[in-house]
Amino acid sequence: MQPITFPEAWINSDKLEGILWRAKAAIQDDKHVHFEILPSTKFLIDAAVIFLSLINQLAADGKLISIDFGTEDTVVMGYLNRMGFFDHIDQRIVILPARPDFSAAQVFNKSNPTLVEIVKITPNVDDDELPGRLADVLQAKDKKLGKAAFTIFGELIDNVIGHSSSTIDGYAALQSYKDSAVVIVSDSGKGLLETLRPKLPKRYAQASDTDILVETFDKGLSRHRGKSGRGCGLTTCARKAKQFHGKLLVRLSETRVNLIPSDDKYTPDTAYCYDNLLPIRGTHISFDFIC
Ligand SMILES: Nc1ncnc2c1ncn2[C@@H]1O[C@H](COP(=O)(O)OP(=O)(O)OP(=O)(O)O)[C@@H](O)[C@H]1O
Ligand SMILES: [Mg+2]
């Protein structure tokens, strides 16, 4: 069993895909998957949450997962602990040398105005609580962005609850950086195209995944087609995000589409769109707002 090593560098979602792609055979075929995260590795929030969803899926599939941080209290462990990563990982996952003694996310919960710790998406939470908390962070940077963000998060969270049928938890998190803010909503259920494609009219049979995604964000498509008013959620998100030059990243089963706002629509940035990636179940949508 070869360890899958995260280098001492910023791990954005691009880098994460590269690491997972190179380890694809081992992750799919081996019973025991061992990750090694070097002390000065730095995760961007979207990569951390997608990694969290992936390892929880692998553990649920019966694989033995271990993550070795080398020594206790490394910088990367501190960051992940602060974001609540260890609160949400499957209990069967082995953390080396040891799980942190306490959860920094619980101790410092809601005390930092530039982030929202990883939060579980469940149908029981108060409807406005989670989108409200996510939007408040952005509101502090820009009032209008805060308002738009409230709508965007509400739609994304609604979709996880309404469409994903996941048995594994979905998550949302936000981190604000110097000139940007990244938010991720990630679920491990049926992916967007899995729920949508079978319900589309025949004329979409030959359409590529990217074409369908672009049309879903641009014009609106819904698995509840025919029901008036459905299919507006993601177009509303796109319309609002465009006003803040929000780059949009959609990670589905084996595909990733990077959409950038141009004049009046989102256009795929083909340099950062990939197929044949390591399969990860569910829908993982992140926005990167300039603010
Ligand atoms: N998290 C998700 N998991 C699975 N499928 C999803 C998810 N999010 C969106 N979808 C699919 O994408 C389609 C479009 O979503 P969108 O939010 O735009 O419309 P809707 O949810 O069907 O209707 P509305 O949001 O207007 O009530 C959905 O009908 C569903 O098939
Ligand atoms: Mg919706």
Side-chain angles (χ1 to χ4, degrees), residues 240-259:
K240 303 252 177 210
K242 233 178 299 173
Q243 295 165 5
F244 299 93
H245 314 286
K247 277 191 276 170
L248 174 52
L249 201 95
V250 186
R251 173 51 153 104
L252 300 172
S253 170
E254 294 179 43
T255 315
R256 179 185 123 128
V257 179
N258 209 350
L259 296 166

Side-chain angles (χ1 to χ4, degrees), residues 151-206:
T151 310
I152 292 172
F153 302 136
E155 293 292 347
L156 294 179
I157 292 164
D158 245 29
N159 279 352
V160 173
I161 294 167
H163 302 300
S164 73
S165 329
S166 183
T167 50
I168 300 175
D169 292 328
Y171 304 108
L174 183 153
Q175 170 94 62
S176 162
Y177 300 95
K178 194 162 154 264
D179 304 311
S180 69
V182 176
V183 60
I184 167 97
V185 174
S186 162
D187 73 68
S188 291
K190 282 188 188 153
L192 187 150
L193 288 167
E194 280 165 73
T195 62
L196 186 55
R197 247 191 201 283
K199 302 289 179 184
L200 293 178
K202 279 206 178 91
R203 65 175 186 281
Y204 288 92
Q206 302 303 321

Side-chain angles (χ1 to χ4, degrees), residues 41-227:
T41 303
K42 294 192 183 82
F43 275 94
L44 277 149
I45 188 62
D46 51 343
V49 173
I50 291 175
F51 182 56
L52 171 67
S53 288
L54 168 69
I55 54 177
N56 282 348
Q57 290 177 23
L58 295 173
D61 293 344
K63 289 194 185 274
L64 304 171
I65 307 297
S66 50
I67 308 177
D68 190 351
F69 287 89
T71 52
E72 281 178 45
D73 300 328
T74 61
V75 175
V76 63
M77 223 176 169
Y79 173 72
L80 293 175
N81 190 16
R82 179 67 190 86
M83 292 310 289
F85 182 87
F86 299 104
D87 299 335
H88 296 290
I89 50 175
D90 190 300
Q91 288 302 313
R92 291 166 287 193
I93 296 173
V94 176
I95 302 297
L96 299 167
R99 283 187 185 238
D101 293 338
F102 69 95
S103 162
Q106 281 168 23
V107 171
F108 301 110
N109 189 25
K110 304 183 188 174
S111 67
N112 184 333
T114 68
L115 60 86
V116 175
E117 298 86 359
I118 300 169
V119 191
K120 200 161 46 171
I121 300 173
T122 60
N124 313 325
V125 291
D126 171 1
D127 278 357
D128 288 353
E129 224 266 344
L130 181 51
R133 278 187 60 203
L134 292 160
D136 283 351
V137 172
L138 298 179
Q139 176 118 1
K141 289 196 150 206
D142 178 330
K143 259 201 162 139
K144 280 191 182 152
L145 173 59
K147 269 195 157 169
F150 183 81
T151 310
I152 292 172
F153 302 136
E155 293 292 347
L156 294 179
I157 292 164
D158 245 29
N159 279 352
V160 173
I161 294 167
H163 302 300
S164 73
S165 329
S166 183
T167 50
I168 300 175
D169 292 328
Y171 304 108
L174 183 153
Q175 170 94 62
S176 162
Y177 300 95
K178 194 162 154 264
D179 304 311
S180 69
V182 176
V183 60
I184 167 97
V185 174
S186 162
D187 73 68
S188 291
K190 282 188 188 153
L192 187 150
L193 288 167
E194 280 165 73
T195 62
L196 186 55
R197 247 191 201 283
K199 302 289 179 184
L200 293 178
K202 279 206 178 91
R203 65 175 186 281
Y204 288 92
Q206 302 303 321
S208 70
D209 290 354
T210 306
D211 288 345
I212 292 179
L213 268 179
V214 170
E215 188 159 337
T216 305
F217 281 95
D218 230 40
K219 301 201 176 75
L221 291 172
S222 174
R223 74 186 176 102
H224 297 296
R225 108 187 131 93
K227 288 197 186 142

Side-chain angles (χ1 to χ4, degrees), residues 23-33 58 63 278:
K24 190 173 169 182
I27 296 174
Q28 288 186 302
D29 302 341
D30 295 355
K31 171 84 179 160
H32 185 176
V33 181
L58 295 173
K63 289 194 185 274
L278 174 78

